[in-house]
Amino acid sequence: TTHPRAHCTAMSTTKVELGDVTHHNVKQLKILNSVVFPVSYNEKFYKNVLDLGQLAKLAYIGDVVVGGVCCRVDLDEQNQKHLYIMTLGCLAPYRRLGVGRILLDHVMEQAKQDTYASVFLHVQTSNDTALEFYKKFGFDVEGTKENYYKKITPADAYILRKKLNSQNA
């Protein structure tokens, strides 16, 4: 069952609602990701997404899926939890309406509630729009991972991170 968790108004009239990813709508996430991202995700990715609970959400405007986010938990050598954003995207016609912000706000809220040390992700080095978006929300470029992507150019990705717990910094 899908139930909106967050309601936000952007651009005064656009109401964005977040809903759960379920076996009934996971194909919509798959289509969204195939349109938004230059890389494809395998069936195992989508099977695992169904078990993510609050770490995977679809963004709706009306009945239309316009965006989505999928995260996973990573543990470091000190056994600290970090939240990794695997995908966060929005269909081009719906960008700049606050959809990405609402999805990222949801992720950050989950990370704070569950006491993650940081939230991090990879961004293709040529993706200036994504880089600016995340920097606006306090993410810093931590480094570059060469040849991160296998089938797209450029293959390099920036590692972006936002630390959440100052004692872990």
Side-chain angles (χ1 to χ4, degrees):
T1 62
T2 301
H3 55 82
R5 248 194 116 261
H7 301 296
C8 247
T9 304
M11 301 281 283
S12 73
T13 58
T14 307
K15 185 177 177 187
V16 178
E17 296 181 344
L18 298 185
D20 295 332
V21 178
T22 69
H23 67 280
H24 295 291
N25 62 20
V26 71
K27 285 183 179 166
Q28 290 181 293
L29 175 66
K30 189 174 184 179
I31 293 166
L32 173 87
N33 285 351
S34 72
V35 172
V36 171
F37 299 110
V39 295
S40 57
Y41 296 89
N42 60 28
E43 289 305 314
K44 185 181 178 200
F45 174 90
Y46 293 102
K47 185 178 181 298
N48 291 341
V49 162
L50 294 173
D51 297 324
L52 293 175
Q54 293 299 316
L55 300 182
K57 288 291 179 182
L58 290 172
Y60 293 88
I61 293 178
D63 293 332
V64 180
V65 172
V66 298
V69 64
C70 300
C71 304
R72 72 165 189 252
V73 179
D74 272 18
L75 293 175
D76 65 17
E77 303 79 34
Q78 289 82 36
N79 231 18
Q80 289 183 321
K81 290 191 312 183
H82 301 269
L83 195 56
Y84 177 69
I85 300 174
M86 298 183 290
T87 62
L88 189 156
C90 178
L91 292 173
Y94 297 93
R95 290 185 186 147
R96 309 205 65 77
L97 297 176
V99 176
R101 177 183 49 78
I102 291 164
L103 289 166
L104 186 57
D105 284 349
H106 174 77
V107 168
M108 300 309 292
E109 188 56 38
Q110 294 305 306
K112 287 173 186 163
Q113 283 178 13
D114 294 339
T115 62
Y116 288 88
S118 72
V119 177
F120 73 108
L121 67 148
H122 291 92
V123 171
Q124 191 177 18
T125 54
S126 61
N127 192 341
D128 293 335
T129 305
L131 196 58
E132 287 173 31
F133 173 80
Y134 288 106
K135 281 184 171 181
K136 185 169 65 175
F137 291 99
F139 283 76
D140 295 312
V141 176
E142 185 174 83
T144 304
K145 185 156 178 79
E146 293 183 3
N147 299 311
Y148 177 73
Y149 299 105
K150 304 298 177 225
K151 298 178 181 176
I152 60 173
T153 305
D156 299 346
Y158 291 124
I159 303 162
L160 275 65
R161 184 177 305 270
K162 182 172 183 174
K163 293 182 178 172
L164 299 177
N165 193 340
S166 58
Q167 65 202 42
N168 296 328

